[in-house]
Amino acid sequence: MRGQTEALEHQHIVRAFDEELARLTSAIVEMGGLAERQVADALRALSGRDVDLAAQVIQTDKKVDELEERIDQDVIKLLALRQPMAIDLRMIAMALKISNDLERMSDYAVSIAKRSQRLAEQPEPKPLQQIPRIGQSCLAMVKDVLDAYVERDADKASTVWNRDKEVDDQYTSLFRELVTYMLEDPRTISTCIDLLFIAKNLERIADHATNIAEKIVFIIHGAEINRPRHEVE
Amino acid sequence: MKGVMSNPVSVGVPSPQSGSTTQRNVKSSIRDLNFFYGDAQALKHIDMEIYEHAVTALIGPSGCGKSTLLRCFNRMHDLTPHTRYEGEIRLFPDDVNIVSPEVDPIEVRMRISMVFQKPNPFPKSIYENVAYGLRVRGVRNKTELDGRVEAALRGAALWEEVKDRLGEPGTALSGGQQQRLCIARALATDPEIVLFDEPTSALDPIATASIEDLIISMAGSVTVLIVTHNMQQAARVSTYTAFMYLGELIEYGPTNEMFTRPREQRTSDYLTGRFG
């Protein structure tokens, strides 16, 4: 079995390289922390009908974008100046992709926050109770995948990867439920459409967490998770 | 990886470019090779297959045995007293053990030529540098000599630069040109394997790029074995890479895999600059 800790127990001869890699990792962790909080706050803003909290989520997006840009520049600099190999190369190349996934997560959180502001102006819809369930599943995946990244734990990442189907199933059942509401009472259509988009955004956030899980496994083992993944229709 | 092939059959090995499996012939098979400088053992139980018409790079820190292994291929160590070979380097298709004392080193060098770290043209004209090996082999016919000198100089991507001044001394050329002249000299006798020992360490980046380009294009017709300290160079030119450490072969495989996901911790440490 390829070592889980390949090359990581030793430091680079050029110590500046270690510092640059640590800086890159901490930028990803910082970005992940922000995105995770955005998702959590967007969910709280939605259920608590808290428009100010939703506004904060929207504000944070700018910070996340800035971090993504910094990571892009750091990666290009590392590739040009250090010519990384083996696990270093995988780590640096995947930082580029993971930051992209985190940036997308942040965008979805913003989208949820915006819809929560609109929903707060209307009477509380009955199907709203279903959202927190899928929301918590998503949030747990985001949290665990970030832990797996920090701890370089491929097993933990694989567990997150396997949980994507759970969220997909929750989304499908919520979709059916919302369609039923809309058929029963067409006056709820506008609200239900908002909820439907929120559910879809959550489902996409879980997909990005799953993508990150795949990249963590690639960093550690140098191989893809090679199984067909359940895709939601 | 270290399994010894009993027959010189073609084996399926992953091609770094396509990821698919390409059939390659084994040009040479190293079997349990040990080498000693007096009491010091410089190579320990090396088993590896060298694939025909491919570039194989030997990498590793100083003193790992990579140059020692390369020099076994043209019996360079015979010139050093108190050295000893054990084991075999079988050369195909005729399956001869080139490190056997019964095999004449001159015969080996006819088939396996070498290019060194510093360009070392003979103090002769450009033409004579290339023709020398042919004359030694008894080629006297002027037309044949001219043809083969031109072919070798073209093979070394030097012909266009020197065709109008073949009578000038080889040492009058630039460093990069001198190295290409040495490659032409090595190619003139139609060798089966060409050995390169740090061929660009004395050259600037432009001359290095032209030598690397040449090595890659040569691999279509000859088998190339190259020792280099420059890992990026190994990554750029070779199809297979062998990592050696303290006289042992640690890991050997398609270059693409070695540089992206080495199997051994020691390889990874070396490639990522974590050695020590």
Side-chain angles (χ1 to χ4, degrees):
Chain A
M1 192 67 225
R2 206 156 274 151
Q4 292 236 344
T5 53
E6 181 198 323
L8 285 177
E9 60 231 43
H10 301 133
Q11 297 198 316
H12 286 93
I13 296 164
V14 180
R15 277 165 300 171
F17 190 13
D18 278 329
E19 287 158 21
E20 287 160 9
L21 286 176
R23 185 181 131 102
L24 184 64
T25 302
S26 74
I28 294 272
V29 171
E30 189 184 344
M31 204 179 162
L34 286 176
E36 182 189 346
R37 213 182 63 210
Q38 277 182 298
V39 176
D41 286 350
L43 287 167
R44 281 206 294 138
L46 178 68
S47 54
R49 302 165 74 79
D50 185 341
V51 288
D52 294 335
L53 187 57
Q56 274 181 39
V57 172
I58 297 164
Q59 279 291 313
T60 309
D61 192 46
K62 203 164 147 256
K63 249 173 150 174
V64 172
D65 288 352
E66 280 167 11
L67 270 169
E68 192 199 18
E69 210 165 287
R70 200 185 96 194
I71 288 167
D72 283 0
Q73 286 164 0
D74 284 355
V75 164
I76 287 169
K77 198 179 106 188
L78 277 164
L79 289 173
L81 303 185
R82 301 284 178 203
Q83 290 107 42
M85 304 254 189
I87 192 166
D88 295 338
L89 176 61
R90 303 199 299 264
M91 229 163 86
I92 292 166
M94 289 304 111
L96 206 55
K97 303 195 83 172
I98 290 172
S99 71
N100 184 53
D101 280 315
L102 292 172
E103 191 272 327
R104 297 301 305 147
M105 271 186 195
S106 162
D107 285 350
Y108 288 124
V110 166
S111 165
I112 294 170
K114 283 179 179 164
R115 284 178 198 279
S116 82
Q117 284 178 327
R118 196 158 60 213
L119 285 167
E121 292 162 2
Q122 289 157 30
E124 189 160 355
K126 199 175 152 221
L128 184 58
Q129 285 99 41
Q130 297 301 317
I131 296 283
R133 207 165 65 98
I134 181 170
Q136 289 314 313
S137 306
C138 266
L139 198 55
M141 281 176 72
V142 173
K143 183 185 174 302
D144 288 350
V145 86
L146 292 171
D147 287 349
Y149 179 78
V150 173
E151 293 157 21
R152 294 274 183 269
D153 187 336
D155 292 339
K156 195 176 249 180
S158 298
T159 314
V160 173
W161 190 86
N162 280 313
R163 266 154 53 195
D164 187 46
K165 183 169 183 322
E166 210 178 289
V167 172
D168 290 348
D169 290 345
Q170 285 176 1
Y171 169 75
T172 308
S173 90
L174 185 59
F175 179 87
R176 293 208 181 105
E177 203 184 320
L178 287 168
V179 170
T180 316
Y181 277 114
M182 289 189 271
L183 287 172
E184 277 173 3
D185 183 358
R187 283 170 304 174
T188 63
I189 287 180
S190 142
T191 303
C192 283
I193 294 268
D194 272 332
L195 292 175
L196 196 59
F197 272 109
I198 288 171
K200 184 70 194 171
N201 288 338
L202 288 168
E203 187 271 327
R204 294 296 298 145
I205 287 169
D207 284 348
H208 285 289
T210 310
N211 287 349
I212 294 173
E214 286 173 1
K215 279 144 207 169
I216 293 167
V217 171
F218 180 75
I219 289 171
I220 295 163
H221 294 310
E224 316 279 342
I225 295 186
N226 218 359
R227 280 165 288 173
R229 188 147 64 85
H230 171 83
E231 296 290 345
V232 71
E233 307 86 61
Chain B
M1 172 212 29
K2 293 200 173 182
V4 178
M5 301 285 302
S6 51
N7 293 308
V9 292
S10 65
V11 291
V13 285
S15 150
Q17 267 70 40
S18 61
S20 67
T21 297
T22 320
Q23 290 294 311
R24 284 194 187 271
N25 290 321
V26 173
K27 180 62 196 168
S28 176
S29 181
I30 305 170
R31 297 176 189 173
D32 197 18
L33 183 71
N34 293 295
F35 181 79
F36 301 84
Y37 292 107
D39 293 333
Q41 187 168 1
L43 294 176
K44 296 170 186 166
H45 308 287
I46 308 286
D47 280 303
M48 78 188 266
E49 313 282 355
I50 306 296
Y51 297 104
E52 190 170 38
H53 297 173
V55 179
T56 300
L58 303 174
I59 61 168
S62 296
C64 72
K66 58 191 188 300
S67 290
T68 302
L69 178 59
L70 192 78
R71 283 149 194 257
C72 287
F73 272 87
N74 75 344
R75 296 276 294 273
M76 289 265 293
H77 300 299
D78 290 27
L79 305 169
T80 315
H82 313 299
T83 57
R84 184 159 53 91
Y85 304 90
E86 269 176 19
E88 301 180 329
I89 298 181
R90 315 230 42 124
L91 186 64
F92 302 117
D94 45 342
D95 199 10
V96 56
N97 175 18
I98 57 176
V99 294
S100 156
E102 281 109 67
V103 172
D104 181 356
I106 304 298
E107 289 294 320
V108 174
R109 290 174 202 148
M110 299 260 255
R111 299 174 62 181
I112 300 176
S113 52
M114 184 149 175
V115 176
F116 295 86
Q117 189 166 357
K118 282 197 181 146
N120 55 351
F122 299 137
K124 291 171 180 287
S125 70
I126 293 168
Y127 183 95
E128 282 305 321
N129 259 284
V130 183
Y132 184 80
L134 297 167
R135 292 194 200 279
V136 168
R137 282 159 181 73
V139 180
R140 293 275 178 270
N141 181 301
K142 177 80 171 96
T143 320
E144 188 186 350
L145 277 175
D146 285 354
R148 290 180 71 172
V149 167
E150 179 178 338
L153 285 168
R154 281 187 188 281
L158 192 59
W159 175 252
E160 291 303 325
E161 291 159 59
V162 301
K163 63 181 177 189
D164 300 320
R165 48 180 178 138
L166 293 172
E168 288 177 24
T171 49
L173 297 170
S174 74
Q177 288 173 326
Q178 287 187 25
Q179 193 62 311
R180 278 181 283 148
L181 180 61
C182 294
I183 294 173
R185 186 175 68 190
L187 288 175
T189 52
D190 284 332
E192 293 161 52
I193 299 178
V194 179
L195 311 171
F196 288 90
D197 191 358
E198 294 273 359
T200 62
S201 58
L203 302 180
D204 74 21
I206 304 291
T208 297
S210 74
I211 300 288
E212 287 179 2
D213 179 59
L214 186 54
I215 290 172
I216 294 163
S217 63
M218 278 168 66
S221 48
V222 293
T223 303
V224 174
L225 210 51
I226 176 170
V227 161
T228 176
H229 270 127
N230 182 335
M231 283 180 283
Q232 273 76 32
Q233 179 167 74
R236 286 190 298 262
V237 304
S238 71
T239 315
Y240 300 96
T241 298
F243 171 61
M244 296 179 67
Y245 185 56
L246 299 175
E248 287 179 67
L249 178 63
I250 304 297
E251 186 168 347
Y252 177 42
T255 299
N256 182 31
E257 282 179 25
M258 288 277 284
F259 283 86
T260 55
R261 44 187 182 128
R263 290 182 301 260
E264 299 289 326
Q265 179 72 51
R266 280 173 294 186
T267 316
S268 183
D269 283 350
Y270 182 67
L271 291 176
T272 57
R274 285 182 169 88
F275 229 58

